[in-house]
Amino acid sequence: MTKKLGVVLGSGAARGWAHVGVLRALEDIGIKPDVVAGCSVGALVGGAWLIGALDDFEAWARELKPLSYLKRFDLKIARGGFVDAEPAFEAFREFDKNIEDLPVRFAAAATDLGTGEEVWITEGSVLDAARTSSAVPVVFHAVRHQDRWLVDGALANPAPVALARHLGADVVISVDLNAVPRVLDRFNPQPPGLPVTQPSTTLPAAPGLSGAVTKLIDDTRRKINQQVGFARARINASPQLFETAYAAADIFQMHLARANAKICPPDLLLRPDMRDAFPTAFDRADEFIEEGRRALLAERATIEALLSD
């Protein structure tokens, strides 16, 4: 019996461009998933791929400039948020299909505001499912779905492996964009042995020393002084508002994804290194797509072995 491959595309806002690279890399090596389970931006990218809109979606992503993505949205305080994402999705409505009509099993994970439970959207419009799954609380409007108010699936399960299993996947590859989080590493304790006092910058006269040796000593002392300066800046620094918010969201999703993975582990976890990626960096599609491609291709042998066992 041929094993069914499931791909889980996790949450991550602008980091989700990495999912484009993952899907492109799968195409490059001739592997087509039988199941796609998406959460938040993962549902958006996975859905775009399945309805044939990924080329247009990728072209749009690569042309974005800082904050230009806001032109796609309407600012309107309603339904628990201040941004209406509907206009952005309407731009791709001509591609839309019903989930039931797709050649690949697909579902999107969302969160029920009324119960806090994870909700799996397995039927209806692909675009509507993606919009619901990516409705970031407070930012985007909540979506009414079958008498429930739903928001971003990342609140319950950033990388829904269980959903892929439910859809029939025998082998599951999970792409977790928060596995390498954007922590504030500048607040880590300084490494042991780093000088804590400022060394003298005056080089005493030393008869017989050549100019090359003197320069070497000066350069070494300069580097030590620089390290001490960085250490002092780190000690005296304090967290800023937005970087703390970004880090907190990353840390929360990292631990939530880890907890869910212990309950229902994937066969392969892809961990693109997105720690340098702000969730709003939608204009960095080129590098994020390439990171996703790299992460998938680095595990090509493992994937082929999993499917052939």
Side-chain angles (χ1 to χ4, degrees):
M1 182 183 76
T2 303
K3 292 183 178 180
K4 292 183 178 180
L5 173 64
V7 174
V8 175
L9 304 176
S11 63
R15 297 172 178 177
W17 297 151
H19 291 318
V20 176
V22 167
L23 294 173
R24 294 302 193 197
L26 284 172
E27 291 176 343
D28 290 345
I29 63 178
I31 294 178
K32 185 175 181 180
D34 303 283
V35 168
V36 174
C39 177
S40 197
V41 70
L44 174 59
V45 175
W49 181 64
L50 290 172
I51 63 177
L54 191 59
D55 288 344
D56 291 63
F57 185 72
E58 181 178 349
W60 170 68
R62 290 184 183 276
E63 292 174 358
L64 284 176
K65 304 300 180 186
L67 301 182
S68 64
Y69 64 92
L70 292 176
K71 296 178 181 178
R72 292 275 187 169
F73 303 120
D74 281 346
L75 297 179
K76 182 171 60 177
I77 298 177
R79 302 197 301 276
F82 58 85
V83 176
D84 183 4
E86 178 63 20
F89 284 87
E90 282 302 315
F92 296 93
R93 187 62 66 177
E94 63 182 284
F95 294 97
D96 198 16
K97 298 176 182 178
N98 282 332
I99 294 174
E100 304 94 309
D101 298 330
L102 296 175
V104 171
R105 298 293 304 278
F106 172 73
T111 304
D112 188 337
L113 271 178
T115 65
E117 298 300 319
E118 181 180 355
V119 175
W120 295 342
I121 303 174
T122 59
E123 58 184 15
S125 160
V126 171
L127 288 182
D128 289 347
R131 181 166 67 95
T132 303
S133 180
S134 57
V136 179
V138 181
V139 178
F140 293 114
H141 294 178
V143 178
R144 188 76 168 174
H145 176 80
Q146 297 180 351
D147 296 327
R148 295 178 171 186
W149 283 106
L150 304 183
V151 291
D152 198 325
L155 291 181
N157 194 348
V161 174
L163 176 54
R165 301 283 189 199
H166 171 78
L167 294 175
D170 301 306
V171 174
V172 175
I173 300 171
S174 179
V175 186
D176 186 352
L177 302 181
N178 302 294
V180 185
R182 186 184 177 85
V183 295
L184 303 184
D185 53 6
R186 63 195 177 96
F187 297 118
N188 277 344
Q190 60 181 356
L194 190 66
V196 293
T197 57
Q198 181 79 16
S200 170
T201 57
T202 304
L203 182 67
L209 284 180
S210 68
V213 173
T214 300
K215 184 178 184 304
L216 175 61
I217 295 174
D218 280 341
D219 289 344
T220 301
R221 180 166 290 147
R222 191 176 300 111
K223 290 178 180 178
I224 293 174
N225 289 345
Q226 186 179 52
Q227 291 180 25
V228 171
F230 288 151
R232 285 181 170 176
R234 176 181 295 176
I235 291 170
N236 294 328
S238 61
Q240 303 303 307
L241 176 61
F242 288 110
E243 69 172 1
T244 301
Y246 287 138
D250 265 20
I251 293 168
F252 163 75
Q253 291 195 66
M254 174 190 70
H255 286 291
L256 183 56
R258 284 180 182 176
N260 279 295
K262 288 181 179 179
I263 297 170
C264 187
D267 296 282
L268 176 63
L269 175 63
L270 296 187
R271 298 159 42 97
D273 190 345
M274 311 298 291
R275 78 185 76 191
D276 187 41
F278 278 101
T280 54
F282 289 96
D283 58 311
R284 295 173 62 187
D286 288 351
E287 59 187 285
F288 295 173
I289 290 172
E290 184 54 36
E291 175 59 19
R293 181 189 297 273
R294 183 208 62 76
L296 188 287
L297 293 179
E299 298 292 345
R300 175 176 181 174
T302 302
I303 295 169
E304 292 173 342
L306 286 169
L307 294 175
S308 64
D309 286 346

